[in-house]
Amino acid sequence: MAEQVIPMGSTAASRRGADWDALAARARAVRHAKAVVLYAFLIAVSLPIILPYLWLVTIAFSARTGVAETAVLWRSMAVVVPAIVAFWLTAALAQSRRQVWIGIAAVAAIAAFAFALLVGPDLHVGNFIFLWEPDFASVVRSRIGEVKGAVQFPNVWHAFGNSILIAGAQTAIVVTVASLAAYYLSRFQFPGRSSMLRSLLVLHAFPVLTLIVPMFLMLYWIGLLDTLSGVILVLVAFELPFAIFIMKGFFDAVPWDIEMSALTDGASRRQAFVSVVLPQVRNGILAIAVFTFIRGWEEYIFVFTFLIRNSNWTMSLYMYWVRDDVMGVDYGVVSAVGVFYLVPSLILYMAAQRYLMQMSIGGVKG
């Protein structure tokens, strides 16, 4: 058997060190390759989602000349698409969190400079005229030179307030009732409990649009048709079953021992519920609140059916009538209303994303 030749000046320890270095380098290369493939996939998936929003914002802030809109859109894509790719690659290839933040800051600065240079001079806010001009419909008609009808638009801030009222009241009622009902279903045993839980899922399985005619008649007979209260009542009724079912899962995951400890220490049932149990299901309550608010904010079918007077318009109805060609389609104004309509949802998600990302079913405080 031939003996292995050991180079002069080398030692077994140094050879083992070189082998470990090679293995570590190979592992890093494989890890980086996998990360690049993953981020390439995420880029391919995210672009079809991001580009329509980019187009919406571009048209909203562009002059209504057609050519200018297209030019601004292409220049915006020339800045945003490479920036997204650079963001993902920076996150994939950086060796530490510090390098990630430095890389992202550098990419953001370069993208902001390029955007200001290429797109900034062509941007304007004229399409947002509906925010400060109550009779903006006549202004738009005069701008596009078409008058096919007369529509009395309510003030956009009035529609905005109606949407906030509907979504906010629906969220408050759903979160309160669902939390109490789910806690009761989770902690107490009573006849028919299992049947009630199954019925919650069955109620959520029915297509709600099939009930739109009975709901219309019910609201008419109880005098709540064409009122915001009637719409809130209907939306709460449709949202509650699933919210109760989801919240019950959160309460089930809270160990009974910590609640019993509070009761043993002299707390009442209400105090134990408020001070011990509710903090454990905080993320679940926030998730239910966020998604309920969003569903109420973007609701269209029921508000279109149950609200008749334009003084009760919500933002979804406002968006629909702005895009209607009864006053001629002005895509700049339509897109501007869309951006305005999008802002509250975006702010809500950004404020709650930290808690939504940490959402888990229950848990015990350390």
Side-chain angles (χ1 to χ4, degrees):
M1 177 180 297
E3 294 183 356
Q4 185 178 5
V5 178
I6 301 176
M8 293 182 62
S10 64
T11 63
S14 64
R15 290 200 304 275
R16 287 196 295 271
D19 292 341
W20 281 113
D21 291 341
L23 290 174
R26 184 183 304 172
R28 285 195 299 271
V30 171
R31 188 169 63 251
H32 287 159
K34 290 181 178 179
V36 170
V37 172
L38 173 63
Y39 283 108
F41 172 74
L42 294 176
I43 291 171
V45 172
S46 60
L47 284 181
I49 301 173
I50 294 174
L51 288 182
Y53 288 101
L54 176 62
W55 200 335
L56 176 72
V57 175
T58 299
I59 297 174
F61 287 94
S62 301
R64 188 179 181 275
T65 60
V67 177
E69 292 175 359
T70 306
V72 172
L73 174 64
W74 283 110
R75 288 201 292 269
S76 300
M77 291 177 60
V79 175
V80 174
V81 173
I84 293 174
V85 175
F87 274 127
W88 286 116
L89 290 179
T90 300
L93 301 177
Q95 299 293 327
S96 64
R97 184 178 294 273
R98 183 170 178 270
Q99 291 183 3
V100 171
W101 285 113
I102 293 175
I104 289 177
V107 171
I110 295 173
F113 177 76
F115 193 85
L117 184 65
L118 297 177
V119 184
D122 292 323
L123 299 181
H124 77 132
V125 295
N127 292 325
F128 291 85
I129 185 174
F130 58 90
L131 293 178
W132 59 83
E133 176 55 61
D135 190 22
F136 88 98
S138 61
V139 179
V140 173
R141 285 196 295 269
S142 64
R143 188 167 70 176
I144 63 178
E146 297 179 15
V147 180
K148 297 181 180 180
V151 176
Q152 296 298 321
F153 277 77
N155 190 300
V156 67
W157 296 107
H158 190 74
F160 185 86
N162 287 341
S163 289
I164 289 289
L165 179 61
I166 289 177
Q170 178 197 3
T171 302
I173 296 173
V174 167
V175 168
T176 303
V177 176
S179 298
L180 296 175
Y183 177 77
Y184 189 79
L185 289 170
S186 174
R187 289 293 192 261
F188 296 92
Q189 297 291 335
F190 55 90
R193 177 173 173 270
S194 299
S195 300
M196 184 173 292
L197 290 174
R198 283 193 294 270
S199 67
L200 292 177
L201 283 180
V202 173
L203 286 174
H204 191 71
F206 289 149
V208 294
L209 292 182
T210 59
L211 301 176
I212 198 164
V213 173
M215 286 291 179
F216 185 92
L217 295 175
M218 288 175 60
L219 292 180
Y220 172 77
W221 286 113
I222 62 178
L224 292 180
L225 186 64
D226 195 22
T227 64
L228 299 183
S229 302
V231 174
I232 294 171
L233 181 65
V234 171
L235 296 181
V236 167
F238 286 130
E239 196 69 30
L240 262 181
F242 190 66
I244 294 174
F245 187 82
I246 295 297
M247 284 305 303
K248 180 184 177 299
F250 282 91
F251 283 114
D252 286 343
V254 178
W256 167 248
D257 294 343
I258 60 172
E259 189 175 355
M260 178 58 72
S261 299
L263 296 174
T264 304
D265 291 339
S268 64
R269 198 62 184 259
R270 183 186 63 81
Q271 291 172 330
F273 173 73
V274 174
S275 303
V276 177
V277 179
L278 280 184
Q280 300 293 325
V281 298
R282 179 190 59 182
N283 290 344
I285 293 175
L286 283 174
I288 294 295
V290 169
F291 293 123
T292 302
F293 185 91
I294 295 299
R295 288 163 70 95
W297 178 258
E298 66 184 12
E299 174 56 38
Y300 172 74
I301 297 297
F302 291 116
V303 296
F304 180 77
T305 305
F306 300 146
L307 298 179
I308 301 171
R309 293 171 297 174
N310 60 5
S311 60
N312 286 331
W313 277 8
T314 61
M315 281 303 299
S316 58
L317 293 179
Y318 195 89
M319 181 78 194
Y320 172 80
W321 286 106
V322 165
R323 60 145 292 277
D324 190 67
D325 61 357
V326 69
M327 68 174 192
V329 177
D330 189 323
Y331 295 110
V333 174
V334 174
S335 301
V337 174
V339 171
F340 182 68
Y341 188 24
L342 184 66
V343 168
S345 303
L346 187 62
I347 293 175
L348 183 62
Y349 268 117
M350 292 179 66
Q353 65 172 348
R354 173 188 171 190
Y355 300 101
L356 296 179
M357 293 294 291
Q358 298 174 351
M359 189 175 68
S360 60
I361 305 295
V364 181
K365 280 188 174 181

